[in-house]
Amino acid sequence: MADFSSLFSENANNMKASTIRELLKLTQKPDIISFAGGLPAPDVFPVEDLRAAANIVFDTQGRKALQYGTTEGDDGLREELIKFESKQGVSIKKENLLVVSASQQALDIVAKIFLDAGDYVIAGRPTYLGALQAIQSYSAKVLGIPFTAAQDGFDMVKLEQTYAEAKAAGKKIKYIYVIPDFQNPSGFCWSIEKRKALLEFAYKTGLPILEDSPYREIRFMGDSIPSIYELDQRGANKGIVINLKTFSKILAPGTRMGWIMADTALISKFVVAKQAMDLCTNVFTQMWLAEYMRTGKLDGVIQATRDKYREKRNAMVEALERYMPKRADISWTKPEGGLFLWITLPSFIDTDKLLLKAVEKKVAFVAGSGFYVDNPEHNSMRMNFSYPTHEQIEEGVKRLGLVVQEAIAEHK
Ligand SMILES: Cc1ncc(COP(=O)(O)O)c(C=O)c1O
């Protein structure tokens, strides 16, 4: 086999295969109860309604659906997205919208536009691994900011301090990446005060905020908090926030369809970057989703998703209360939305090692260390509750409780 490794670009050499995805392979054996994935519950996918919408597209606009489209996105879909956002209080025009092949492409586009090798992005500790991969693939680095003990957003003192130190050291910071609604991996949700404070910080420093909101609509309890994009729009309206949305968690991830909302000048820049990637997003899928949205049934699917995830989240929290050892240094988040909760264990437990023991007991999670770029915390784990059944949640958490109990006993 030819070896081209000496010819690979520096960026390619900086790309890291996801250790989490590698580990997921280990957890995918059929008899393992896995809380490791991040998959939506497939029973909510509206297969028949989507089939009907696809048929309408083929029956009425088949030739258009099979043709190239514009990079900005299908007009019909963008109209539906504008209506969808306006129902949530966000007012946008077509020029503020770019349709993308789901959020992951958007993370890549933004990184491509802003980052040179050696640049920095401010992001949470922990944060979504796919965003870290996109940043690293442009040879850029991350300045990690811890969250407050109240888990309601960044520790703003630490943010100011990290920023000042980085500036003094001549580091070039390009943007701030956050997932304010039910973060992957932790389930943290930012308070309104912290959202406003971050916006003020962005105004002061001139740094754009990349607000990634795949879980925003999946709030199954509590009151909705305005997005940072909305806060900017309702306030000084400086166009400093780039908001990413996706159909992945509100409808079906296999559609690979999402949208970026941003200032028109930024959208034009993103369009050029996207042209080099794929010319345009899959035209048929855009028209198909527009047709489906016109039926008005998406709201019902989102509500059904919320209802289902609320029950599963409650089942997992209740099972954790039943089966986890009761200690002050064991805790878990109780998210009001999203797909994940985050467990913190005693500091002497390394969840990378615990995972191997858990897999022996036929239960799996994602070790928290994978969600940090440097100095990872080793005593946390991400648990997905959207995909497993209620029975699997009960049995899997029971097994996990035993694994943790054994690790504590061994330490003693
Ligand atoms: C925070 C976050 N951003 C982006 C993505 C990518 O989603 P997609 O490309 O399916 O829209 C995910 C997927 O889990 C995520 O958790």
Side-chain angles (χ1 to χ4, degrees), residues 21-159:
R21 294 212 190 282
E22 292 306 308
L23 278 172
L24 279 181
K25 288 182 197 155
L26 192 78
T27 66
Q28 275 166 356
K29 296 186 188 130
D31 54 342
I32 289 186
I33 297 179
S34 180
F35 303 123
L39 304 183
D43 41 341
V44 205
F45 300 158
V47 177
E48 288 313 316
D49 288 335
L50 284 169
R51 189 206 307 276
N55 285 340
I56 293 174
V57 174
F58 276 122
D59 289 347
T60 61
Q61 305 182 77
R63 290 183 193 284
K64 186 179 171 208
L66 296 172
Q67 190 53 279
Y68 282 116
T70 60
T71 309
E72 287 81 352
D74 175 68
D75 268 350
L77 179 62
R78 286 195 292 161
E79 276 160 26
E80 291 307 312
L81 293 175
I82 289 168
K83 284 188 226 156
F84 181 81
E85 290 295 344
S86 100
K87 274 196 279 180
Q88 305 190 48
V90 179
S91 131
I92 41 165
K93 300 198 181 74
K94 271 194 191 153
E95 305 81 73
N96 300 114
L97 258 184
L98 171 60
V99 178
V100 285
S101 303
S103 309
Q104 194 60 41
Q105 184 181 50
L107 290 169
D108 191 31
I109 289 177
V110 174
K112 189 172 190 167
I113 286 299
F114 281 103
L115 299 177
D116 289 314
D119 284 349
Y120 283 83
V121 175
I122 290 175
R125 281 177 56 81
T127 199
Y128 170 56
L129 185 80
L132 298 178
Q133 281 184 302
I135 294 163
Q136 285 164 342
S137 70
Y138 293 95
S139 304
K141 295 176 185 161
V142 172
L143 290 171
I145 308 295
F147 291 88
T148 58
Q151 303 174 340
D152 68 341
F154 281 170
D155 175 336
M156 296 306 288
V157 175
K158 205 76 195 165
L159 174 65

Side-chain angles (χ1 to χ4, degrees), residues 310-320 322 390 393:
R310 183 190 310 108
E311 282 177 16
K312 290 191 178 193
R313 173 271 199 201
N314 286 344
M316 187 170 272
V317 168
E318 282 160 24
L320 286 166
R322 260 197 307 283
H390 282 261
I393 290 175

Side-chain angles (χ1 to χ4, degrees), residues 43-296:
D43 41 341
V44 205
F45 300 158
V47 177
E48 288 313 316
D49 288 335
L50 284 169
R51 189 206 307 276
N55 285 340
I56 293 174
V57 174
F58 276 122
D59 289 347
T60 61
Q61 305 182 77
R63 290 183 193 284
K64 186 179 171 208
L66 296 172
Q67 190 53 279
Y68 282 116
T70 60
T71 309
E72 287 81 352
D74 175 68
D75 268 350
L77 179 62
R78 286 195 292 161
E79 276 160 26
E80 291 307 312
L81 293 175
I82 289 168
K83 284 188 226 156
F84 181 81
E85 290 295 344
S86 100
K87 274 196 279 180
Q88 305 190 48
V90 179
S91 131
I92 41 165
K93 300 198 181 74
K94 271 194 191 153
E95 305 81 73
N96 300 114
L97 258 184
L98 171 60
V99 178
V100 285
S101 303
S103 309
Q104 194 60 41
Q105 184 181 50
L107 290 169
D108 191 31
I109 289 177
V110 174
K112 189 172 190 167
I113 286 299
F114 281 103
L115 299 177
D116 289 314
D119 284 349
Y120 283 83
V121 175
I122 290 175
R125 281 177 56 81
T127 199
Y128 170 56
L129 185 80
L132 298 178
Q133 281 184 302
I135 294 163
Q136 285 164 342
S137 70
Y138 293 95
S139 304
K141 295 176 185 161
V142 172
L143 290 171
I145 308 295
F147 291 88
T148 58
Q151 303 174 340
D152 68 341
F154 281 170
D155 175 336
M156 296 306 288
V157 175
K158 205 76 195 165
L159 174 65
E160 295 280 357
Q161 201 183 330
T162 307
Y163 177 79
E165 283 168 12
K167 282 305 229 191
K171 290 178 177 163
K172 269 197 192 162
I173 305 172
K174 292 299 185 66
Y175 57 90
I176 307 165
Y177 172 69
V178 283
I179 312 154
D181 292 290
F182 323 117
Q183 194 221 34
N184 179 3
S186 64
F188 296 165
C189 183
W190 287 48
S191 64
I192 181 89
E193 292 77 20
K194 282 281 150 62
R195 291 174 197 229
K196 285 182 178 166
L198 190 72
L199 192 57
E200 285 307 320
F201 177 83
Y203 288 159
K204 186 177 75 181
T205 57
L207 290 176
I209 297 175
L210 176 56
E211 179 180 38
D212 190 5
S213 308
Y215 308 105
R216 179 161 174 75
E217 283 79 15
I218 313 298
R219 172 181 279 282
F220 41 68
M221 47 179 76
D223 295 329
S224 178
I225 302 169
S227 67
I228 305 178
Y229 185 83
E230 247 175 284
L231 288 173
D232 175 45
Q233 207 172 52
R234 288 193 211 154
N237 201 10
K238 295 196 182 183
I240 206 162
V241 186
I242 302 158
N243 196 191
L244 311 186
K245 300 296 264 311
T246 174
F247 282 99
S248 289
K249 308 300 181 328
I250 58 172
L251 183 64
T255 58
R256 307 310 301 134
M257 194 65 56
W259 61 104
I260 306 181
M261 295 186 285
D263 185 61
T264 50
L266 270 178
I267 292 286
S268 310
K269 205 78 191 152
F270 295 156
V271 165
V272 181
K274 184 174 158 65
Q275 267 162 7
M277 292 176 182
D278 62 1
L279 300 180
C280 66
T281 306
N282 182 312
V283 178
F284 169 76
T285 308
Q286 293 186 69
M287 292 176 65
W288 173 39
L289 292 184
E291 194 56 48
Y292 176 72
M293 287 180 91
R294 278 192 280 273
T295 64

